[in-house]
Amino acid sequence: LRVGFFGAGDISLLHREAIRKSSYVELAGLWNRSGCSIVPDPQKKAEEYGCKLYDSAEELAKDPAVSAIYVLTNMESHCELAKIAMAAGKHVYIEKPVGSTVAEIEELRACAKKYGVICMPGHNYL
């Protein structure tokens, strides 16, 4: 299973480590918002993780080699980014908290149903 990360901040370290321990999952690439103070050099982070850096969330979501996207950004962007991934046919793992409101979570549920994908809230596992 090839996956991508939306966001490469601190929580991505835990997810990257878990992926390294799995023989079934590979981190294909990541995208991080430009100008982010938490990840000032996304290219360096991609090199550290041994994966491709994508220029946009849409580019990563449209890559046919990627099956699922981890949404690891700030909560306020979770809904928008998850919908981009699901509209591209990707399964989505969203780091907690999933959304800012119940309405956003209901939107995500409807989007997953519309595109026939799984949208799963997560809790880090390390």
Side-chain angles (χ1 to χ4, degrees), residues 58-125:
E58 292 81 4
E59 180 189 13
L60 172 51
K62 290 178 183 176
D63 185 340
V66 173
S67 299
I69 305 274
Y70 287 52
V71 178
L72 308 175
T73 57
N74 59 307
M75 176 190 62
E76 295 79 11
S77 65
H78 283 182
C79 187
E80 172 192 352
L81 291 170
K83 289 192 302 184
I84 289 169
M86 288 187 283
K90 306 301 188 225
H91 301 292
V92 174
Y93 171 100
I94 305 179
E95 188 54 63
K96 63 175 179 28
V98 173
S100 301
T101 65
V102 172
E104 279 188 355
I105 295 168
E106 289 172 344
E107 255 186 89
L108 292 171
R109 180 179 62 189
C111 190
K113 185 176 182 178
K114 176 179 178 179
Y115 293 106
V117 296
I118 296 168
C119 181
M120 181 178 91
H123 190 303
N124 57 60
Y125 32 81

Side-chain angles (χ1 to χ4, degrees), residues 13-24:
L13 299 170
L14 295 175
H15 293 286
R16 176 61 185 137
E17 186 57 31
I19 288 170
R20 281 186 185 168
K21 292 178 180 180
S22 173
S23 59
Y24 302 104

Side-chain angles (χ1 to χ4, degrees), residues 4-71:
F5 287 176
F6 285 170
D10 296 339
I11 197 68
S12 73
L13 299 170
L14 295 175
H15 293 286
R16 176 61 185 137
E17 186 57 31
I19 288 170
R20 281 186 185 168
K21 292 178 180 180
S22 173
S23 59
Y24 302 104
V25 183
E26 174 189 350
L27 179 59
L30 65 87
W31 165 80
N32 200 84
R33 187 172 283 114
S34 62
C36 174
S37 62
I38 295 170
V39 185
D41 189 350
Q43 181 60 51
K44 182 177 178 184
K45 184 68 78 162
E47 290 169 8
E48 177 186 330
Y49 286 1
C51 68
K52 177 180 177 176
L53 175 65
Y54 290 82
D55 291 329
S56 68
E58 292 81 4
E59 180 189 13
L60 172 51
K62 290 178 183 176
D63 185 340
V66 173
S67 299
I69 305 274
Y70 287 52
V71 178

